[in-house]
Amino acid sequence: MKSLINLVVAAYLAGTATVVDAAASTAAECCDLLEKSFPGKTYSGSNQQNLYQAFVSSYWSVNVRLTPNCAVSPANTKDVAAIVGLLSKNSCQFAVKSGGHGLVPGSSNIAQGVTINLGRMTEVSLNRQTKIATVQPGAKWADVYSYLGTFGYAVPGGRAGNVGVGGLTSGGGNSFFAARYGFTCDNVKLFEVVLGNGTVVQATNVRNTDLFTALKGSQNNLGIITRFDFIAFEQTDLWGGTAVYGQKTVPAQIKAFYDFTRNLKNDPFGSLILLWSYVPTVPDESQRLSFVNLYEYTANLTGPVTTYPPPFKGFAPDSPVGPPIVDTLRVANLSNLTAELNAPPELR
């Protein structure tokens, strides 16, 4: 029996035939078809211009702020299936946007063609009996953490709140909880997917298992994921924040980072991002290099933390690294800590 992966590839190729199909519709014709079928949900530089400009500028990376002939915003899976079916039938080129935090031009936006903007599909829900969080792809992780946090739950998602659910999860996904739960995609129990011919299928570890495995890292190459069912877990406040250190701490920082990595298996609640920052415009050459360390300790906490948790003892103020120049270390919820890591678009 032909596997579902083969069917997915066939459907995908059917939707990307514009490269070789002389009868393929032009991008303008594709947009006309969408405008007739999805009035009010389709916009361009000449139709709902304010909405179109807001869409273009919503991409985090400047090099992905392309200008498609039009964009369309489905409201649900049924819309996505109809849009993909229409575009595939007419051999229209299209891209798919979830949160818009990707860096590769042509992956989540397109210069000549149609972009399917999933930004209206942002629903988040939680079944506390099964501990399953259901999330649509257009949601940002800030939305997910804020909603789940009201019930005392979390899922292993993005470390910055303004990152989208769809792109990070389908690309693998790193989180503060990786040492305990693996990649974000490892915690998906069910994918709902629109294939390249407009067919809607569900993939789990017992149904369409080949597709279930392939979707973990495929981005949007095998279909458009319209629903993620995540395995949730109980989570209260965390300890974390950022700490800034000077150039003289280089040897001690390297040693502390090595020890942290080597010992993480003994306390998998730790998470560390170590950033080296070099600013050549600083007049004093000895001050141009600095470290910005992002510490997160994901054990459930109920009170203040007066000392660095065990995984970070090598970075504590009484260690060879010494006290930071400045820090924001505190006990806070996941929404608060991930908001601190939101990088402004101007940096890209």
Side-chain angles (χ1 to χ4, degrees):
M1 182 175 67
K2 183 184 289 186
S3 72
L4 183 60
I5 286 294
N6 290 334
L7 294 176
V8 170
V9 172
Y12 173 74
L13 292 175
T16 57
T18 45
V19 177
V20 296
D21 186 357
S25 302
T26 67
E29 290 171 338
C30 295
C31 290
D32 288 341
L33 291 170
L34 285 173
E35 177 60 33
K36 293 175 182 177
S37 300
F38 300 92
K41 298 177 181 178
T42 305
Y43 40 94
S44 65
S46 58
N47 171 34
Q48 301 190 79
Q49 294 182 24
N50 291 340
L51 184 60
Y52 179 78
Q53 291 301 326
F55 155 75
V56 172
S57 62
S58 68
Y59 285 87
W60 181 68
S61 180
V62 175
N63 69 326
V64 186
R65 293 179 184 176
L66 309 178
T67 52
N69 292 75
C70 67
V72 59
S73 294
N76 48 47
T77 299
K78 182 179 178 181
D79 278 355
V80 175
I83 290 168
V84 171
L86 184 152
L87 295 176
S88 296
K89 179 180 178 181
N90 292 278
S91 298
C92 301
Q93 288 189 327
F94 62 91
V96 185
K97 174 183 182 286
S98 170
H101 205 269
L103 301 174
V104 182
S107 61
S108 60
N109 202 2
I110 190 169
Q112 296 294 323
V114 177
T115 296
I116 300 175
N117 177 15
L118 302 176
R120 292 181 60 186
M121 299 176 62
T122 60
E123 292 183 5
V124 183
S125 63
L126 173 68
N127 185 323
R128 280 183 281 181
Q129 289 186 325
T130 62
K131 296 186 178 180
I132 294 296
T134 298
V135 185
Q136 290 186 318
K140 302 290 182 72
W141 287 107
D143 306 322
V144 178
Y145 298 145
S146 177
Y147 178 84
L148 296 181
T150 61
F151 303 102
Y153 281 85
V155 294
R159 296 173 294 184
N162 63 355
V163 173
V165 170
L168 181 127
T169 306
S170 62
N174 203 349
S175 78
F176 296 145
F177 307 94
R180 284 190 287 154
Y181 295 109
F183 291 116
T184 300
C185 66
D186 295 326
N187 297 272
V188 176
K189 192 175 181 67
L190 177 147
F191 295 101
E192 180 181 76
V193 191
V194 176
L195 304 181
N197 60 0
T199 302
V200 180
V201 300
Q202 291 187 344
T204 70
N205 62 354
V206 295
R207 176 173 44 177
N208 298 324
T209 55
D210 50 356
L211 180 60
F212 181 69
T213 300
L215 285 170
K216 299 179 178 184
S218 69
Q219 294 285 350
N220 56 11
N221 288 300
L222 298 179
I224 300 177
I225 302 171
T226 54
R227 168 185 160 190
F228 299 89
D229 281 5
F230 291 100
I231 302 170
F233 53 86
E234 295 183 12
Q235 181 67 51
T236 58
D237 286 346
L238 302 77
W239 176 89
T242 60
V244 180
Y245 303 87
Q247 182 170 319
K248 293 181 180 179
T249 67
V250 169
Q253 290 276 357
I254 294 174
K255 176 62 165 57
F257 182 64
Y258 169 80
D259 290 340
F260 171 86
T261 303
R262 185 185 61 181
N263 295 318
L264 188 58
K265 63 181 183 294
N266 301 320
D267 192 343
F269 291 93
S271 174
L272 169 64
I273 304 174
L274 193 154
L275 304 175
W276 294 41
S277 174
Y278 182 78
V279 184
T281 56
V282 173
D284 186 348
E285 185 176 353
S286 66
Q287 301 297 320
R288 292 176 182 173
L289 178 66
S290 64
F291 291 87
V292 181
N293 293 356
L294 289 72
Y295 305 125
E296 314 295 339
Y297 193 61
T298 63
N300 288 318
L301 301 173
T302 57
V305 175
T306 57
T307 61
Y308 282 35
F312 307 106
K313 291 301 184 183
F315 298 93
D318 59 353
S319 73
V321 170
I325 299 171
V326 64
D327 72 73
T328 63
L329 300 175
R330 65 206 184 276
V331 174
N333 60 39
L334 193 55
S335 296
N336 181 276
L337 289 169
T338 55
E340 183 177 356
L341 302 188
N342 289 340
E346 291 75 16
L347 295 182
R348 300 301 302 186

